[in-house]
Amino acid sequence: MIGVKFGDFNLQANGVVVTNTDVYSAPVNKIQADPLAERDGALVVKQQYDSKTFSIEGYIRKDSIASLEMMMDTFKLAMSQKNKPFDIDYAGSTRRYLASARNSILSKSSLTSAGFTVEFLSPDGMGWDLDTTSLISSTLITVSNSTTSLSVGGSYKADPAVKLTIGAVTGGTNKTITLSNATTLRSISVKRNWIAGDVLEVDTLKGLVLVNGVATDFSGQLLSFEPGDGGLGYLDDFTTRSVTLTASYTKRWL
């Protein structure tokens, strides 16, 4: 029996059993294609995954009518919680979906048992690992222009947390650090007076750009990386530098 939980409620214990779910299905990929001028066919210009609905089916079985009805009430209370983790055992680990139950159906099949069907809405539609994964281990940068290789796991893009620690710098006044996706060339830049000890953090998932823990202005776009091999570009206009780069992310799954 695979483990299934919604919030703190165990869906595989105390007489509650999940027998079927379609949570494994990928969210709908909304594709925008524009017709080609004076030619047959079209060009895909945009792809965007929609939110996802999924369901669970199962039964509740207890020793008495009173125990069944108490568990039915407990079940409905648990399902009424909003934006809770739906956790399911998968591939030797746990996959997590943010979800809210939007339709719960219970029906008694006997005096001491009842069937249930619950439909959930997952706003982003993705399954998440519970733990973060290193994307780039500690890497020392001493040149003005470099690319660090990386490999993204999962089956959905990575929105990483990138950290740059400046160990030493000369010519850092009113200068710019730029980070980029080496494949798409999408980039983000921060211009300021840089000194040794400064720490730049770009948390793409949370939409934060911090210098020494304080939100700072930036230009460009927050970075994301498609599954598979890629690279993170680094560029500055300092005279000399010694910068340590690290990055991490949470694997996500369609």
Side-chain angles (χ1 to χ4, degrees), residues 35-83:
L36 296 172
E38 305 298 331
R39 294 176 59 186
D40 295 334
L43 176 67
V44 174
V45 296
K46 184 178 181 181
Q47 297 185 81
Q48 184 176 9
Y49 286 101
D50 208 347
S51 58
K52 179 173 79 172
T53 58
F54 64 91
S55 299
I56 59 171
E57 298 175 359
Y59 60 84
I60 304 170
R61 188 170 295 158
K62 302 297 285 186
D63 294 332
S64 67
I65 296 174
S67 295
L68 173 65
E69 292 175 344
M70 288 178 62
M71 180 54 73
M72 290 173 65
D73 286 339
T74 301
F75 181 91
K76 287 185 285 185
L77 176 61
M79 295 304 105
S80 71
Q81 306 301 306
K82 304 295 188 294
N83 294 320

